[in-house]
Amino acid sequence: MARTAPVDDWASDFDVMDPRYIADPFGIWDDLRATCPIAHTNRRGSNWLPTRYSDITAIAHDVSHFSSLEVAVIPFEGEEPEEPVLPYGLPPISSDPPLHTWSRRLLLPWFSHRRVAGYEEMTRDLCSGLIDGFIDEGKVDAAEGYAQQIPVRVIAHILGVPASLSDTFTGWVRDVLEFADDPERRMAGMEALITYFVEEVARRREQPGEDLLSELLRTEVDGAPLEEGLVLGTAALVLIAGVDTTWSAIGSSLWHLATNPEDSKRLATEPELMPTAIEELLRAYAPVTMARLVTGDVEVAGCPMKGGDRVLMNFPSANRDPEVFEDADKVRLDRAINRHVAFGSGIHRCAGSNLARMELRVALEEWLRRIPEFRLADADSVTWAGGQVRGPRVLPVVFG
Ligand code: HEM
């Protein structure tokens, strides 16, 4: 539900939670790019919204003027607890160097090509089991019944937490990311998630395993074990960063294929297109927007940004910039040159991109193998989440 008034002027008073922006932001970005490439609003503090590829990537690389200490697109406006729940935030995503540099290094091996290849078989089994459950009915909510079910289970496996709690994990992550405009719900989701990991950490200290949580507890930096706040923040980030994002990418891709039958036919009959198709779907429907905190007065493309302002890292709009992408508003499954920034740019570039790509590919491969032709059951009933992560949340399709 929108908490602020409807937007009249996107250049000077935008709101990324406006229902029109959530449902269809593409035309808004096109207009802004042509008329006012960095928009501004005073809703929820002073926020800037760049729309051009060049400005967004330049800001992403300028970590001295643009800090990651506040990456939430919607600033938290509730009452802060006296003791911060996570003293180090969610490293590495919400940190600047030097903490960023070494906390990122701890995570990278878990998402290397080799490790990710090891998760492929379980992902394929998972996808095919989900399809077994609904294929005979000739219909499914492809968001809730398929896309949403996949990444959370793979992440649960990596963290060593039970897949049976998937719906609970998903609920917490949605509270934090999708309902960020409701401070109480957001705080309750974060607290529940942290309380869960506090208990899991205590269990792992007694009974260590081979999972990411156990490994973090074994890790020493400069001869000392990691502080518990760091372990908790990192584990929470892996869940928060790995669930809504990938589920949204899978859902948006299925929405595209359901509404563009010539593309699903082509992908089903020419599977060799899959590598370029995955990149193109990530480009066109990039789900993630992040924020940066301006550290001191700085000018970008003539815009006077002040210390304490925030910038929304509009990676999805960069991906639609016609200066960089030919036919930027068209999905071309065989697009050969595709330097999209769906995974960000610079030092914070997504640490889980190998995993995300594998999950998206396997989810589409298994779906198209079994359900090569499908369409929306009712276009009006499709709903989208937006703000930090954009993707379909209700997506009824029919087939067979
Ligand atoms: C399609 C799915 C995904 C998309 C579009 C995506 C997008 C992004 C973006 C845009 C960033 C940059 C953040 C910034 O600049 O502030 C990022 C960072 C990150 N992502 Fe992903 N992500 C996805 C899936 C995943 C998965 C599956 C994981 C695994 C847990 C993951 C883990 C991370 C981590 C740890 C960072 C922080 C890296 C750093 O700060 O150095 N992401 N992601």
Side-chain angles (χ1 to χ4, degrees):
M1 201 199 303
R3 286 180 71 231
T4 63
V7 172
D8 284 331
D9 181 356
W10 290 96
S12 64
D13 185 34
F14 73 83
D15 184 353
V16 295
M17 296 306 279
D18 186 284
R20 280 174 298 159
Y21 186 93
I22 291 176
D24 187 6
F26 307 110
I28 298 171
W29 296 332
D30 290 345
D31 287 347
L32 288 173
R33 241 184 263 111
T35 56
C36 174
I38 304 186
H40 184 261
T41 191
N42 278 318
R43 299 182 188 215
R44 307 182 185 86
S46 174
N47 288 274
W48 301 90
L49 181 73
T51 53
R52 289 191 299 216
Y53 188 98
S54 56
D55 293 331
I56 292 159
T57 49
I59 294 170
H61 285 262
D62 182 356
V63 293
S64 66
H65 287 108
F66 300 97
S67 161
S68 281
L69 290 180
E70 276 188 33
V71 283
V73 161
I74 307 297
F76 184 69
E77 286 176 342
E79 217 170 292
E80 297 279 357
E82 268 171 36
E83 288 281 312
V85 189
L86 293 171
Y88 300 96
L90 301 168
I93 213 165
S94 64
S95 57
D96 295 325
L99 171 57
H100 170 264
T101 316
W102 63 262
S103 61
R104 177 178 169 95
R105 224 174 274 147
L106 297 180
L107 273 182
L108 286 178
W110 287 83
F111 304 106
S112 67
H113 283 290
R114 191 180 57 80
R115 288 274 180 107
V116 167
Y119 311 134
E120 179 161 339
E121 193 180 331
M122 72 154 286
T123 309
R124 201 172 289 284
D125 290 347
L126 176 60
C127 294
S128 120
L130 289 166
I131 297 172
D132 287 342
F134 57 71
I135 192 159
D136 289 342
E137 290 178 30
K139 62 176 177 132
V140 70
D141 179 340
E144 200 194 340
Y146 190 64
Q148 182 185 327
Q149 306 301 327
I150 302 162
V152 65
R153 286 178 169 75
V154 180
I155 293 287
H157 171 79
I158 294 171
L159 283 168
V161 296
S164 57
L165 290 179
S166 293
D167 287 348
T168 309
F169 297 142
T170 302
W172 293 336
V173 174
R174 292 189 70 185
D175 288 345
V176 172
L177 290 178
E178 290 178 24
F179 298 95
D181 233 2
D182 177 344
E184 277 163 29
R185 184 163 178 177
R186 175 172 174 179
M187 181 55 89
M190 196 62 178
E191 277 176 355
L193 198 151
I194 301 305
T195 306
Y196 176 79
F197 278 120
V198 167
E199 285 165 14
E200 283 297 299
V201 161
R203 223 190 311 271
R204 289 307 185 297
R205 287 194 197 281
E206 299 283 311
Q207 269 190 315
E210 297 305 313
D211 53 89
L212 173 54
L213 211 48
S214 303
E215 183 62 31
L216 289 172
L217 289 172
R218 274 195 288 268
T219 301
E220 293 194 348
V221 173
D222 295 335
L226 289 184
E227 281 177 48
E228 183 148 318
L230 260 159
V231 173
L232 293 171
T234 308
L237 172 62
V238 168
L239 192 63
I240 293 173
V243 170
D244 239 42
T245 51
T246 318
W247 151 32
S248 297
I250 298 171
S252 297
S253 302
L254 289 172
W255 176 84
H256 175 84
L257 296 174
T259 50
N260 292 273
E262 66 292 351
D263 277 351
S264 43
K265 194 163 181 191
R266 208 174 157 207
L267 207 46
T269 52
E270 298 173 55
E272 64 280 7
L273 273 184
M274 199 50 99
T276 51
I278 293 291
E279 296 314 307
E280 180 65 343
L281 291 164
L282 282 165
R283 179 191 72 82
Y285 302 106
V288 178
T289 302
M290 300 295 295
R292 294 289 187 271
L293 188 62
V294 180
T295 56
D297 296 0
V298 60
E299 197 173 292
V300 183
C303 295
M305 301 183 179
K306 303 262 170 255
D309 286 0
R310 292 150 41 83
V311 180
L312 305 191
M313 302 301 288
N314 195 353
F315 298 118
S317 169
N319 281 354
R320 297 261 182 163
D321 186 342
E323 285 287 318
V324 180
F325 301 96
E326 211 178 293
D327 289 336
D329 56 346
K330 299 216 168 52
V331 171
R332 293 196 337 214
L333 297 182
D334 57 358
R335 190 182 291 274
I337 301 168
N338 193 346
R339 290 177 54 79
H340 71 74
V341 285
F343 291 118
S345 180
I347 65 167
H348 288 279
R349 200 187 161 282
C350 182
S353 60
N354 295 329
L355 179 64
R357 285 186 164 115
M358 182 279 283
E359 290 179 355
L360 178 56
R361 172 174 55 79
V362 170
L364 295 186
E365 281 171 355
E366 286 305 301
W367 179 284
L368 288 172
R369 193 168 65 76
R370 312 268 302 272
I371 311 174
E373 285 180 30
F374 60 108
R375 60 189 161 78
L376 294 184
D378 168 19
D380 292 339
S381 62
V382 175
T383 67
W384 296 82
Q388 193 109 28
V389 183
R390 181 175 188 273
R393 293 296 171 263
V394 176
L395 184 62
V397 299
V398 287
F399 43 83

